[in-house]
Amino acid sequence: MTDDQLDAQHDDIAKRVASTRAQLFDTLDAIEDKFNVPKQLGIAASKVKRGVVEKRPPYLAGLAAGVAVVGGIVVTVLRRR
């Protein structure tokens, strides 16, 4: 092989290593984001807040249903004592 061919091969390998390294960093960042519970809770809370502002009636109905279910469970547990 000539020096030019070796240089081209070296450059190709270097580009592939750089690309693989970038993909690895992206994958690790995505994994870190998925397992970062406080960050995920913040994202979920902001989605809920945005949904409440944009679609108020369905969220309020869901909230009311949730309160009714929890209230019913509490009343049932207290009556059995």
Side-chain angles (χ1 to χ4, degrees):
M1 289 183 118
T2 66
D3 286 342
D4 289 339
Q5 289 173 328
L6 289 174
D7 288 342
Q9 188 177 18
H10 180 266
D11 290 344
D12 182 49
I13 292 171
K15 287 178 185 177
R16 287 191 298 177
V17 167
S19 174
T20 303
R21 184 178 293 132
Q23 289 175 351
L24 177 62
F25 286 139
D26 290 344
T27 302
L28 290 175
D29 285 343
I31 291 170
E32 180 183 6
D33 287 345
K34 288 291 181 187
F35 287 107
N36 187 339
V37 175
K39 184 175 183 176
Q40 291 300 318
L41 289 174
I43 291 169
S46 67
K47 285 181 182 179
V48 169
K49 287 178 187 176
R50 190 170 47 245
V52 168
V53 170
E54 293 173 3
K55 302 173 186 174
R56 193 171 302 261
Y59 276 94
L60 292 178
L63 178 63
V67 168
V69 168
V70 171
I73 292 170
V74 170
V75 168
T76 302
V77 169
L78 291 177
R79 282 190 181 171
R80 288 189 180 186
R81 286 184 178 209

